[in-house]
Amino acid sequence: MVKMKRPEELPTAAAIQAHQLSISADLLWTAKVELAFLDAVDQIPGVYTEEMGTRILQRYEHCWLPLVHENKDKTLAPPIDVEWAWHCHTLCPVQYVADCKEIFGKCEMRCRLQN
């Protein structure tokens, strides 16, 4: 069993960043949407192959992230494979914010799920 570190056990900078994140959601609704999304991803032929994974990451990094950055004022819906890569990236919010800041100079993290 992996023991998760509590915020006070993390390095100081990471702990500060973790405490600055604000999360609010209807958890039951969010869990149902999440399960439906993961089921849809699971239905993509070849989604777990290395070749497909490489193509998905290329589309995410070279097409989706720049598109979102250039269209901040618009609501865009990614194709499901790209949404999966985005979803995986945002599972580590501190790294996601750091990556966006490195690529774009800032990060405006948006929640993938909205009710």
Side-chain angles (χ1 to χ4, degrees):
M1 174 185 257
V2 176
K3 183 178 181 241
M4 299 295 291
K5 290 186 177 182
R6 297 187 324 216
E8 59 270 15
E9 296 173 335
L10 295 171
T12 306
I16 290 170
Q17 288 177 330
H19 284 291
Q20 292 174 341
L21 296 174
S22 174
I23 301 171
S24 65
D26 174 340
L27 296 180
L28 179 59
W29 177 86
T30 302
K32 289 177 180 180
V33 171
E34 185 69 14
L35 287 172
F37 169 69
L38 293 174
D39 183 54
V41 168
D42 201 40
Q43 302 304 313
I44 300 171
V47 73
Y48 301 114
T49 66
E50 184 176 346
E51 180 183 341
M52 178 72 92
T54 300
R55 282 194 310 204
I56 291 170
L57 288 176
Q58 287 173 341
R59 286 167 36 95
Y60 172 68
E61 292 176 6
H62 301 289
C63 299
W64 178 250
L65 287 178
L67 182 67
V68 169
H69 180 69
E70 293 167 6
N71 294 278
K72 290 177 246 184
D73 57 330
K74 297 179 181 149
T75 301
L76 304 172
I80 193 164
D81 62 328
V82 172
E83 185 174 0
W84 185 51
W86 191 16
H87 168 77
C88 292
H89 196 189
T90 60
L91 288 176
C92 185
V94 173
Q95 187 62 51
Y96 176 78
V97 169
D99 290 344
C100 288
K101 284 182 179 179
E102 181 180 330
I103 296 167
F104 305 117
K106 65 179 183 173
C107 181
E108 296 171 10
M109 188 167 181
R110 296 186 298 172
C111 182
R112 184 178 62 80
L113 303 172
Q114 299 175 9
N115 55 0

